[in-house]
Amino acid sequence: MPVSGLGPYDEQNIFARILRGEIPCRKVFEDEFALAFHDIAPQAPVHVLVIPKGPFVSFADFSAQADTAMIAGFFRAVGTVARQLGLEVEGYRLLANMGKLSGQEVPHFHVHLFAGKPLGRMLVAPAAGE
Ligand code: 5GP
């Protein structure tokens, strides 16, 4: 069942189009389970997105619906990306927004990988009025 206002999977969402090669991306890694590419609006010196190769709207959808091989393969790919980018010595942060309150914008499950500077506290306070 769709959750948190995201609706059913939209085959025209931007990451589906990137997966199909209809929109370019700065690819950093690809295997049978996942594609990783640089975020178009980086919020840290390293800001990479890792997305599964399947029609999953969100983490909630992915964790409930993806088969075990996909879940394992996807999360192994996230670790491989971090290792291949040389991030393990200094460290990095993983983040996945899920649904309305998190501010998830793209309705295709993705993990953000941030690194390259001290990343501060975990949550940034919302702007006044939010
Ligand atoms: P969310 O808010 O859904 O967790 O994160 C979506 C992310 O996708 C944002 O950080 C945004 O900058 C990134 N993004 C949106 N459109 C594109 C695009 O066309 N290409 C790339 N590489 N990143 C995108």
Side-chain angles (χ1 to χ4, degrees):
M1 197 201 337
V3 293
S4 198
L6 291 168
Y9 189 76
D10 172 10
E11 294 287 349
Q12 296 308 317
N13 82 75
I14 200 93
F15 292 171
R17 299 187 66 198
I18 286 174
L19 273 178
R20 291 196 297 268
E22 295 168 9
I23 293 178
C25 69
R26 288 176 56 216
K27 182 164 77 175
V28 297
F29 175 86
E30 182 170 19
D31 69 5
E32 67 184 294
F33 300 108
L35 175 69
F37 51 90
H38 292 281
D39 196 290
I40 203 167
Q43 296 185 43
V46 177
H47 184 176
V48 165
L49 302 168
V50 191
I51 70 175
K53 289 187 172 179
F56 305 105
V57 171
S58 66
F59 177 73
D61 187 22
F62 182 77
S63 60
Q65 304 298 335
D67 66 29
T68 304
M70 169 56 89
I71 291 173
F74 174 77
F75 281 104
R76 198 175 293 281
V78 175
T80 300
V81 170
R83 193 173 318 113
Q84 288 189 355
L85 291 174
L87 306 180
E88 290 186 346
V89 174
E90 295 292 327
Y92 56 87
R93 177 172 294 156
L94 301 180
L95 183 152
N97 289 317
M98 187 347 254
K100 193 169 53 180
L101 283 184
S102 75
Q104 181 179 352
E105 288 177 0
V106 179
H108 181 115
F109 170 50
H110 50 281
V111 168
H112 298 255
L113 200 165
F114 299 105
K117 69 171 188 179
L119 294 167
R121 44 202 279 251
M122 279 206 287
L123 293 177
V124 176
E130 284 188 40

